[in-house]
Each structure stands twice: as C-alpha cells, then as structure tokens.
Amino acid sequence: MNKAMLWLCCLLISFPSYLVYSQEQPLRLAVASNFKTTLATLVDDFKRQHTYSITVSSASTGVLYQQIIKGAPFDLFFAADQLRPQQLLEQGIASSSELYAYGRVAFYSAKTDPSYAHQLTTLPSKCRIAIANPAYAPYGIAAKEVIADQQALSHCQQIKGSNIAQAFQFTRLQTVDLGIVAYSHILEQHIPAAQFQLLDERYQVAQAVAVLNRQQQSDAALVFMRYLATPNAQLIISQAGYQGVSQ
C-alpha cells in the first residue's frame, strides 16, 4: 500500500469517530443562581422533545463570567444581567446575546410579628438586611437601588450573600430581619403572602443569555435557543415569577 492510500485509509477511519465525538458533546449551561431552578424545569421540558445530554453549572453572574473568560467550556451563559453577555460579545468570546427574561425583586422577612416586609418602619434600630453582593450579582445592584429609595432602610447593616440564593437563605434562617430577594425564590419556596412584598417593576432585572464560541460546540445550543422562544418555554418562565421577553 502506497503512502497516499495509507493516508486515505487513516482519514476514513478517524473521520467518523470525530463526528461521533462532536455529536456526543453535552450541552453545557452556565446559569445565574436566581434562574437555576427555572432552567432545570426548562431542561426537563426540552429533553422530552430532544435527546441531547445537558449539564448545568450555577453561581453568581460575576463568578460565572470570570470562569468563562478564563476558558470554562460552556455553550450558553444565562446571566442575571445584560452587561456580562454584552462584554463577552465584544471580547469575541460569545457569538450572540439576547434577553430571555425580566426578574423581579421582593422584600422578604421570615419574622412575621410584626411583618417587616410590609412595615419597614417597624424594623429594629439595629436591623440587618440581606442582599446579594453587588460586586458579583446583578440582583445585589437592584437591592442597592431599593435601599437608596427607602429611607427606612438607610440605617440597616447590609449582610451580603455571594449570590441571590444565599441572600434568600440568610433571610429564611432569620439570620437577618429582612432580605431583598428574587421573586422567583419566593414562589419556588411557597413563601406566604404575609412574609413578602413584591417590589415595583422599576427594580426589575433584565437577564440575557450569551451563545459562547467553542471549538467543538454542541449543535444543541442553537436548538435550545430556539426552544426558549416557544410558548411552552415562555409559560414556564412566567410561572416561575419572571416576565418573559414575549410578554
């Protein structure tokens, strides 16, 4: 067998295995902590229609952003803001970015006598309020805006969670008097109405998803993006306490 024929045989043997490897790459999703449970529901619904393998990693938007710019192998990045996806786009790390939901924030207090969530003026003089760290979490930035607008909160000590899920846990465990949390967590944990107050839409958080550039990217990324625009996906997002982009 001459060298040309040997090279051709090697190519024919290796080429199909490369195709199989590419097709078997899992769809890797990175998601901000506020949207983790909702994304899990979306993934379950998506997998009823498709056979792709999917993995999900969750942290604050800022932490995930740092992982991505350092080379973390994600396909889609569900941020809790528009800024980081746009920055990834500008850096050439992402190929596209679009809104997928608007998140809402709420006052929440597990201490109900009195209900601090509804009566801010009854907060103790040395009150403690849980928020997500605004350095990493967009919901923390929204919380800072709320505090700036509420004179009754100006004297409270701010206890910062690494993400909005941790701020919720601080509040639920009564480590603090009040928390500014994601409305999605309120609904997810079936918090009674006496313990929370949904805040005005002017504090809502615009959340974008970035399609990331990868050498061997699963084609499921674009399929999943198309799925997000379907009525069923938008219904799941809405029922989880978000305003969908089609609303």
Side-chain angles (χ1 to χ4, degrees):
M1 183 181 294
N2 61 37
K3 290 184 178 180
M5 287 297 294
L6 182 60
W7 178 86
L8 181 59
C9 288
C10 291
L11 180 63
L12 290 173
I13 292 170
S14 62
F15 187 63
S17 64
Y18 171 76
L19 283 178
V20 170
Y21 176 76
S22 295
Q23 290 169 355
E24 290 180 350
Q25 288 296 299
L27 174 62
R28 295 180 171 91
L29 310 181
V31 59
S33 59
N34 72 284
F35 200 69
K36 179 182 178 181
T37 300
T38 307
L39 182 61
T41 304
L42 290 167
V43 166
D44 287 344
D45 184 59
F46 177 78
K47 290 176 75 171
R48 293 188 187 99
Q49 308 163 43
H50 304 279
T51 58
Y52 297 108
S53 173
I54 299 175
T55 64
V56 177
S57 299
S58 179
S60 69
T61 293
V63 168
L64 290 171
Y65 171 77
Q66 288 298 323
Q67 291 177 0
I68 290 166
I69 63 176
K70 291 177 182 177
F74 297 121
D75 296 297
L76 298 177
F77 172 35
F78 288 83
D81 65 6
Q82 293 176 279
L83 176 63
R84 269 67 164 224
Q86 181 60 35
Q87 289 175 334
L88 292 173
L89 194 59
E90 293 169 357
Q91 295 169 46
I93 299 174
S95 58
S96 65
S97 171
E98 61 184 68
L99 285 171
Y100 66 90
Y102 294 92
R104 302 286 299 277
V105 294
F107 288 138
Y108 165 42
S109 178
K111 301 178 180 182
T112 56
D113 189 22
S115 177
Y116 295 142
H118 293 275
Q119 302 175 53
L120 298 182
T121 56
T122 63
L123 282 163
S125 58
K126 293 183 179 180
C127 61
R128 290 157 56 91
I129 183 169
I131 67 172
N133 191 331
Y136 305 105
Y139 275 78
I141 296 174
K144 295 288 283 188
E145 293 174 357
V146 172
I147 291 170
D149 289 344
Q150 297 289 339
Q151 182 62 34
L153 301 178
S154 61
H155 65 289
C156 294
Q157 179 187 2
Q158 295 173 22
I159 307 301
K160 297 173 182 177
S162 59
N163 53 52
I164 193 62
Q166 189 173 60
F168 181 88
Q169 286 304 317
F170 287 163
T171 311
R172 193 175 193 185
L173 295 172
Q174 299 189 30
T175 305
V176 296
D177 301 295
L178 183 74
I180 300 178
V181 304
Y183 181 49
S184 57
H185 287 151
I186 294 286
L187 294 184
E188 176 189 324
Q189 297 299 322
H190 308 289
I191 301 301
Q195 295 184 7
F196 77 89
Q197 178 187 169
L198 181 62
L199 298 181
D200 193 276
E201 285 188 2
R202 70 178 181 273
Y203 301 116
Q204 70 181 7
V205 181
Q207 304 189 193
V209 54
V211 180
L212 304 173
N213 295 321
R214 287 186 59 208
Q215 240 182 347
Q216 294 178 338
Q217 186 174 45
S218 169
D219 62 348
L222 297 181
V223 177
F224 196 87
M225 288 295 291
R226 288 195 293 269
Y227 160 76
L228 286 177
T230 64
N232 206 44
Q234 288 296 304
L235 178 61
I236 291 171
I237 291 171
S238 176
Q239 288 177 337
Y242 298 90
Q243 180 181 328
V245 294
S246 64
Q247 292 177 257

